[in-house]
Amino acid sequence: MHRSCRWLLFLAAATRLWAQAPAPVDLIWSARYVVTMDAQRRVIENGAVAVSGDHIVDVGTRADIDRRYRAAQRLDRPDAILTPGLINTHTHAAMSLFRGIADDMNLQDWLQKFIFPAEAKNVDREFVRWGTRLAALEMALSGTTTYTDMYYFEDTVAEVTKQAGLRGMLGQSVIGFPAPDFKTPQASLAATEKFFQAFAHDPLVIPAIAPHAIYTVPDDVLKQTRALANRYQKPLVIHLSETKAENDEALAKRKKTPTAALEALGVLTGWTVAAHGVWLTDDDMAILKRRDTGLAHNPSSNMKLASGVAPVVKILGAGIAMGLGTDGVAGSNNDHNMMEEMDLAAKLQKVTTGNPRALPAQQAFEMATITGARALHMEKLIGSLEKDKRADMITVSLTAANAVPLYNVYSQLVYALKGADVRDVMVNGRPIVRDRKMLTLDVPIIMMKAAEYQERVKKSLGMK
Ligand SMILES: [Zn+2]
């Protein structure tokens, strides 16, 4: 054989060997079941996910993934379910320092008599920093990887979110009265513009503007919030049709539902996430569908404040993306536990429609993952375990008494497993919880600060 021919054969053989050699990746996580939430809704028994940098490289059986990739680090959980990270589409994280401050009253009394005065007396930048740290800890430990926030000092919320390693769509509040951070809507708008610029290309934070609601923000300011959001192509987050009182007031004052009024003002002409939608009419749903507005359903909050039951089956049936949220924990929940929201969302639809088939477990789990991602307009990045998406995922342990036996993974996730069963959490390719230990935050200091604030808040309100 000619020498160059032999050389070519050698090269071909070497290439074949090289092609079969496992490719290096940063991490492999494997589990008994991998629930992908991809378009086919594949559930892979003895599955694994390969991750490099911030993204998913491959998803498959553990045998296939181990043949194709060699990981610098690996985590094998043969007794757990691996799922996409949970997406909380509506909350007010820093309010966790007001947890349970005023329970068992209606929204208007709760807001006007307790929350607004308590905020006026206590909320400053440090309060927001520690409240958000407490919420981030609680959210991460119960499997939330992305959350949507509406509050004050949102640049500090963004700092804490990055420090915790969570992903956030974080809305700087704009409201029609002096707020804890800014005394006028104009000052809030100016600060929001700076916030948009500071976090324009952040890998974890999407800055947003958060006009509180149609009944707390003047019309001209609402228009300005939309214009600013659109100028920077950032989201606008808002409360919408939460209570019957809100709808009745809009109908009396404007002869329009809150949704129709926002539409008439042009507020829905862009990237929007609206929380609640309890009192939406068919016409409202048609508007939201046309505008591709995402919605956040908050079953705990709606039940606790007796706001009503959002027509979730109808909303999803109309093709509107509706995710799940915890809302704030000051009196409208009182925790940040998405496992609970899935369970309640499913059961609440069954009770109100009289149909046990309404909102089955898989659909409830979709709301907490891929449909929630669609509601945030982030479905290209998160919400499912697929190649090239961001590596946001959790393992949920199957070792507790409430976790066995297992016949259907969705049923287990929605109706049996709890937030405390979450064992590991990764966001953007970075493990932030390992074996139920928070890796990114100093837990004892957060707990100490929570106790300190409890005393300070009680004193400020003259509570014993
Ligand atoms: Zn809210």
Side-chain angles (χ1 to χ4, degrees):
M1 195 183 282
H2 194 274
R3 261 180 71 187
S4 66
C5 253
R6 272 207 308 271
W7 178 237
L8 274 177
L9 277 174
F10 168 76
L11 261 185
T15 309
R16 212 160 42 236
L17 262 180
W18 178 80
Q20 282 169 357
V25 292
D26 292 336
L27 289 152
I28 290 176
W29 278 19
S30 75
R32 179 81 171 89
Y33 300 96
V34 172
V35 177
T36 64
M37 303 314 282
D38 65 7
Q40 295 80 42
R41 300 289 185 265
R42 280 186 306 152
V43 175
I44 305 168
E45 207 169 340
N46 297 315
V49 181
V51 172
S52 265
D54 60 2
H55 63 279
I56 293 170
V57 175
D58 207 347
V59 182
T61 63
R62 181 176 167 179
D64 277 348
I65 294 293
D66 282 351
R67 197 171 57 244
R68 286 185 228 143
Y69 305 98
R70 190 181 63 251
Q73 270 186 59
R74 62 179 304 131
L75 181 72
D76 297 305
R77 296 282 190 221
D79 51 5
I81 307 178
L82 201 163
T83 80
L86 306 179
I87 298 171
N88 183 344
T89 55
H90 180 64
T91 192
H92 313 278
M95 290 179 88
S96 53
L97 290 175
F98 291 135
R99 190 190 314 271
I101 193 175
D103 286 333
D104 308 326
M105 54 186 72
N106 73 43
L107 177 73
Q108 301 310 328
D109 281 351
W110 176 77
L111 271 178
Q112 305 296 343
K113 292 185 186 157
F114 287 88
I115 295 305
F116 290 150
E119 284 181 337
K121 287 179 179 144
N122 292 285
V123 175
D124 58 13
R125 195 175 283 284
E126 283 311 291
F127 179 99
V128 167
R129 191 183 312 281
W130 289 103
T132 306
R133 281 186 179 144
L134 178 62
L137 176 63
E138 186 187 357
M139 286 193 278
L141 289 174
S142 54
T144 295
T145 53
T146 295
Y147 75 108
T148 305
D149 197 59
M150 295 174 75
Y151 211 56
Y152 309 107
F153 301 103
E154 207 67 25
D155 52 339
T156 294
V157 177
E159 266 175 49
V160 172
T161 302
K162 285 172 68 65
Q163 183 189 34
L166 287 169
R167 193 182 297 287
M169 175 181 285
L170 307 176
Q172 167 64 41
S173 283
V174 179
I175 202 158
F177 51 78
D181 51 358
F182 299 105
K183 297 304 155 211
T184 64
Q186 290 315 314
S188 302
L189 282 158
T192 306
E193 182 158 15
K194 284 201 186 117
F195 181 46
F196 282 172
Q197 290 163 352
F199 291 89
H201 306 290
D202 195 273
L204 289 174
V205 170
I206 296 180
I209 192 161
H212 175 267
I214 194 162
Y215 60 94
T216 45
V217 184
D219 288 359
D220 59 323
V221 177
L222 280 168
K223 286 185 189 172
Q224 286 174 291
T225 60
R226 178 79 266 169
L228 184 60
N230 285 0
R231 194 151 68 243
Y232 285 85
Q233 297 188 313
K234 297 298 179 201
L236 179 150
V237 292
I238 189 165
H239 294 101
L240 177 63
S241 273
E242 177 174 3
T243 61
K244 185 162 184 300
E246 175 186 341
N247 263 42
D248 289 349
E249 188 190 307
L251 286 169
K253 271 196 196 160
R254 304 165 184 266
K255 309 272 176 286
K256 285 188 174 74
T257 63
T259 301
L262 288 180
E263 170 69 354
L265 291 167
V267 175
L268 302 174
T269 58
W271 186 359
T272 310
V273 183
H276 298 299
V278 173
W279 294 90
L280 297 178
T281 64
D282 289 357
D283 288 345
D284 292 341
M285 287 182 216
I287 292 169
L288 298 173
K289 168 73 183 150
R290 193 166 67 241
R291 293 296 182 192
D292 199 17
T293 300
L295 289 178
H297 175 44
N298 304 270
S300 287
S301 168
N302 297 160
M303 289 166 80
K304 190 144 181 286
L305 296 168
S307 303
V309 182
V312 176
V313 171
K314 215 167 168 186
I315 288 168
L316 292 172
I320 298 166
M322 185 175 224
L324 292 174
T326 57
D327 209 349
V329 306
S332 52
N333 192 318
N334 303 352
D335 57 21
H336 279 121
N337 186 344
M338 286 290 291
M339 301 290 274
E340 205 171 270
E341 299 306 320
M342 291 191 259
D343 182 59
L344 289 174
K347 288 171 182 166
L348 203 47
Q349 290 306 300
K350 297 174 201 312
V351 170
T352 50
T353 60
N355 176 6
R357 290 186 298 272
L359 202 68
Q362 180 177 327
Q363 203 177 14
F365 194 67
E366 286 168 358
M367 290 179 81
T369 54
I370 188 65
T371 308
R374 272 182 54 218
L376 303 186
H377 291 210
M378 291 175 73
E379 71 276 16
K380 291 199 173 72
L381 287 183
I382 57 171
S384 61
L385 302 177
E386 291 180 83
K387 181 172 158 37
D388 295 331
K389 280 205 177 181
R390 296 293 182 271
D392 291 10
M393 57 198 198
I394 63 174
T395 71
V396 190
S397 178
L398 294 172
T399 53
N402 59 294
V404 291
L406 186 155
Y407 301 103
N408 178 296
V409 284
Y410 296 112
S411 160
Q412 214 81 341
L413 284 163
V414 172
Y415 299 130
L417 294 167
K418 311 291 170 202
D421 293 314
V422 171
R423 191 159 175 191
D424 312 283
V425 179
M426 178 191 291
V427 182
N428 215 41
R430 177 190 186 195
I432 64 165
V433 174
R434 176 86 186 249
D435 215 2
R436 298 194 177 92
K437 299 275 182 309
M438 190 84 198
L439 303 175
T440 51
L441 296 172
D442 189 337
V443 179
I445 293 183
I446 294 171
M447 302 309 276
M448 191 190 78
K449 283 283 178 182
E452 243 178 69
Y453 273 104
Q454 174 189 320
E455 290 312 309
R456 203 180 299 179
V457 169
K458 277 165 76 178
K459 210 175 280 171
S460 79
L461 294 177
M463 289 164 79
K464 290 254 159 56

